[in-house]
């Protein structure tokens, strides 16, 4: 299983997982927004994975976002937000 990076934050109301690409500006902005909202979250840069780890994570992304676009944010293993949708992210997490 691919290791996710955990980012500490005081807002722990939800379990937040961010699937991102290391080269994606929208992924970077989404991470910055989560940091600004002081959200505790985990993320993984999918493009830095290889082999079995990459396949496992892509299967997870596909389960929540069949288009496999990034950033893909999964909240409480139910709610999915694809792309940088700042108002929606703030509404759910703030």
């Amino acid at each position: 299983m691919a290791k996710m990076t955990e980012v500490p934050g005081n807002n722990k109301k939800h379990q937040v997982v961010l699937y991102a690409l290391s080269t994606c500006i929208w992924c970077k902005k989404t991470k910055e927004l989560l940091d600004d909202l002081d959200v505790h979250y985990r993320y993984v840069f999918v493009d830095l994975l290889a082999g079995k780890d990459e396949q496992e994570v892509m299967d997870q992304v596909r389960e929540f976002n069949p288009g496999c676009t990034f950033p893909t944010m999964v909240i409480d293993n139910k709610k999915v937000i694809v792309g940088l949708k700042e108002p929606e992210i703030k509404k759910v997490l703030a």
Side-chain angles (χ1 to χ4, degrees), residues 44-57:
V44 62
F45 286 133
V46 180
D47 60 319
L48 299 180
L49 301 174
K52 185 179 174 185
D53 285 344
E54 181 182 22
Q55 187 58 51
E56 284 180 5
V57 171

Side-chain angles (χ1 to χ4, degrees), residues 11 13-14 33 37 75 79 81 85-94:
N11 183 344
K13 291 186 273 184
H14 301 279
L33 177 60
L37 295 173
I75 302 165
K79 172 90 175 147
I81 299 175
K85 295 180 180 162
E86 188 171 337
E88 185 176 358
I89 293 169
K90 284 182 174 178
K91 183 178 177 182
V92 174
L93 297 177

Side-chain angles (χ1 to χ4, degrees), residues 39-89:
V39 173
H40 184 95
Y41 66 100
R42 295 181 301 140
Y43 74 93
V44 62
F45 286 133
V46 180
D47 60 319
L48 299 180
L49 301 174
K52 185 179 174 185
D53 285 344
E54 181 182 22
Q55 187 58 51
E56 284 180 5
V57 171
M58 285 306 296
D59 288 345
Q60 293 171 16
V61 172
R62 194 171 293 108
E63 182 179 323
F64 294 106
N65 173 12
C68 293
T69 54
F70 299 94
T72 295
M73 183 184 310
V74 180
I75 302 165
D76 295 330
N77 215 27
K78 295 184 281 188
K79 172 90 175 147
V80 179
I81 299 175
V82 176
L84 175 60
K85 295 180 180 162
E86 188 171 337
E88 185 176 358
I89 293 169

